[in-house]
Amino acid sequence: MKNTLIIFAVLFSLTACTTAPVDKPADQEEKSSNSKVQSSDTKTNSNNNTKKMVKIDKENFEDLAKEYTGVVFKTNLGDFELKLYSEKSPITVNNFLNLAKNDFYDDVKFHRVIKNFMIQAGDPLSKDDAMKNRWGTGGPGYAIEDEFIEGLSNTRGTISMANSGPNSGGSQFFINVIDN
């Protein structure tokens, strides 16, 4: 049975929670909860809030693209669900799911919101308000190959990898709110 992964994110720089898979059989839930990545030391921002900075090892990624068909974003402004096209973009979907499953997106903010265009998140630096001048520059420490899919790229309601050039995507993504 295909599953949906819940991603808790912060919308418009407000509150956030945690990431957890849903609709998983009990035997798989225990396996998932034990397969966390190592966390580096926590750091404290200027508001005295401790945020977990997750260290990602891409070499230990699981093949989750076949297991999950979508993601649910839980935000302080409401929930929304996105379908994932793993058959058309397996590299991007698997990267996204592994980051989510390993808590990389916990406490990140939608740091770039452009009305009638898109909303962008996925920068781990956005967990720390003291780093606001660097939001939009962070990532997981590696890049993935681009996957452009005709008919899916940059249409309303689609999620796409943000990048700084060819084959430079990592953790940041944007959601199109109109056809671009």
Side-chain angles (χ1 to χ4, degrees), residues 9-129:
V10 182
L11 230 169
F12 307 120
S13 305
L14 298 172
T15 63
C17 301
T18 184
T19 306
V22 293
D23 299 329
K24 298 211 30 115
D27 60 329
Q28 287 186 353
E29 280 186 36
E30 188 168 329
K31 178 184 172 199
S32 295
S33 65
N34 292 332
S35 60
K36 300 284 183 189
V37 294
Q38 273 188 317
S39 297
S40 63
D41 293 330
T42 56
K43 70 184 204 180
T44 304
N45 68 19
S46 59
N47 297 326
N48 293 324
N49 296 326
T50 301
K51 304 292 183 184
K52 182 170 75 169
M53 301 303 284
V54 177
K55 181 179 178 184
I56 297 296
D57 181 3
K58 186 179 169 196
E59 301 305 315
N60 291 325
F61 273 6
E62 297 176 55
D63 186 7
L64 298 174
K66 295 175 186 170
E67 186 176 344
Y68 295 99
T69 58
V71 293
V72 175
F73 286 78
K74 298 276 194 181
T75 76
N76 60 305
L77 295 178
D79 303 349
F80 61 95
E81 186 172 350
L82 294 174
K83 179 179 179 181
L84 300 174
Y85 293 91
S86 60
E87 67 283 352
K88 295 182 179 184
S89 53
I91 297 168
T92 304
V93 169
N94 201 50
N95 178 65
F96 185 81
L97 289 172
N98 272 278
L99 290 172
K101 183 178 178 188
N102 289 295
D103 301 331
F104 185 86
Y105 292 119
D106 287 6
D107 298 318
V108 299
K109 296 174 178 72
F110 278 85
H111 63 275
R112 187 173 180 212
V113 177
I114 303 174
K115 188 176 180 175
N116 296 320
F117 179 48
M118 62 85 177
I119 58 175
Q120 185 172 330
D123 181 352
L125 299 178
S126 71
K127 296 177 183 188
D128 186 348
D129 291 338

Side-chain angles (χ1 to χ4, degrees), residues 134-154:
R134 295 194 52 214
W135 290 0
T137 65
Y142 62 83
I144 63 169
E145 181 180 329
D146 290 337
E147 294 177 299
F148 296 105
I149 313 303
E150 191 170 326
L152 291 180
S153 298
N154 297 325

